[in-house]
Amino acid sequence: MLARICAVLAAAGLIAAQGAWAQSILRDAETEALMQDASAPLVRAAGFRERNVQIMVINDPSINAFVAGGQAVWFHSGLIAQADNLNQVQGVMAHELGHVEGGHVIRSMEGIKEATGIQLVTLLLGAAAMAAGGGEAGMGIMAMGQQAAMGKFLAFNRAQESSADAAGARYLHDAGISGKGSLEFFKKLQNLEYRLYVPQDTYFRTHPLSSDRVATLTHVYENDPAWNKPTDPALEARFQRVKAKLIGFVSEPQRTLQLYPETDLSVPARYARAYAYHKSAYTDKALGEVEALLKTAPHDPYFLELEGQVLLESGKPAQAIPPLREAVERTGGQPLIATLLGHALLATDDDAYLAEAERVLRNALSRDNDNPFGWYALGNVYQRKGDTARAALATAERYSMEGQAALALRHAEVAMSGISQGTPDFIRAQDIAMVSRAAMERTRKK
């Protein structure tokens, strides 16, 4: 189930939470499985543990990827949509892992500090000149200092980008993955620079020019033993599926149908159209595409998941339960799909499903607790069972995850008042309360 983590809870399968960025985080079981498998050789080559590195997708049409601390790499949906093949995406993965290995997010503070030092010195010199009666000279010194500081910081950033390029090339070599896709993607960026008339003066740029990067890396990649090594066909087929479903989910339906017209009967095209039709409330057409997909692979868990999602979000939760149950079983209890099943069980309004919904949601959250909609659904289970204290605890979990400290504290206190002291649930409510109070205190001091 493709789902957004955004600022407001939405109905019918969309997950919600306040994130660190204005864009929505896109979560999807199939996408995350592909990203994990595609990045695994590179992660190992970089010397990291696979379980510690996350590849996440943000709903943003621009062509970009970045790291923001820790070992998480963020891809914009626009980059995946514009990539022609998985090898191009792996080239970007390798580059971003180079930033992680280099600690560039933390080291950026060094560049800021050095640039700030230059600016402070010139501010003092300019102020002294102005005090001595040289107003224009003083202003000129300040302006030159600001420009010099900016140039110093941008040069620092360009050095980090070149370092990440070199590290990425090393990871691709060690993983036995061709650098052809990396060069192809840089050429895409180069064409974009030309179309957008990006200034070719490197002094005012945070990144080296794509043309310079292509020239530097071409010799490295073309002489690598893996240069002509093709991507595993099964992995490439999975990428084309994920790319299509992502386009169908984030793009306007009209745009999706232009890219994947009804004459295209391939699996990726049907995937994309199913989402486009579903977004347009053409339920029968969406289910028709899903039915055609299931004929090609009757037990594909992600096709079954999509069938369940369309049925659930079209007001047919009872019909959504069987395909979702099978999808959960065939993925070994994948947490995002299990959360969707829990939602379907609740949406029937049949209390006979409450025990199963509680079990499914608790299992899902035990494996992936970074899912605010899962906590929201579990809170509804407890509310319907009359367990107000645990409903409050689930709600506290959700608000804590969304960064709403005051609401998290309020519900954690309600939970503690109704749960026996010393139990795991009481201790968890206590922890949320302590963290929330500390967050509120930091906010007050600011």
Side-chain angles (χ1 to χ4, degrees), residues 26-36 55-56 334 336:
L26 297 175
R27 296 212 59 193
D28 172 62
E30 183 177 14
T31 301
E32 291 178 10
L34 169 71
M35 290 299 202
Q36 182 178 14
I55 310 290
M56 303 295 288
Q334 206 288 330
L336 291 175

Side-chain angles (χ1 to χ4, degrees), residues 235-311:
L235 207 57
E236 179 61 32
R238 288 171 61 191
F239 170 73
Q240 296 300 333
R241 279 175 50 158
V242 163
K243 174 182 172 179
K245 74 188 297 187
L246 186 64
I247 290 173
F249 186 75
V250 303
S251 302
E252 290 298 321
Q254 183 178 3
R255 174 60 176 162
T256 301
L257 294 175
Q258 287 175 345
L259 293 172
Y260 299 97
E262 292 184 347
T263 54
D264 187 344
L265 302 181
S266 66
V267 167
R270 290 194 182 279
Y271 228 166
R273 289 198 301 271
Y275 277 100
Y277 290 142
H278 182 47
K279 286 176 65 175
S280 303
Y282 293 133
T283 303
D284 290 342
K285 283 192 168 186
L287 289 173
E289 297 290 358
V290 175
E291 182 180 353
L293 290 170
L294 284 168
K295 283 182 179 178
T296 67
H299 301 292
D300 186 300
Y302 303 117
F303 295 164
L304 291 165
E305 178 196 20
L306 178 55
E307 180 184 25
Q309 182 178 0
V310 173
L311 288 167

Side-chain angles (χ1 to χ4, degrees), residues 219-232:
H219 177 74
V220 174
Y221 287 139
E222 286 185 347
N223 288 282
D224 190 89
W227 172 251
N228 289 313
K229 182 180 178 180
T231 303
D232 174 35

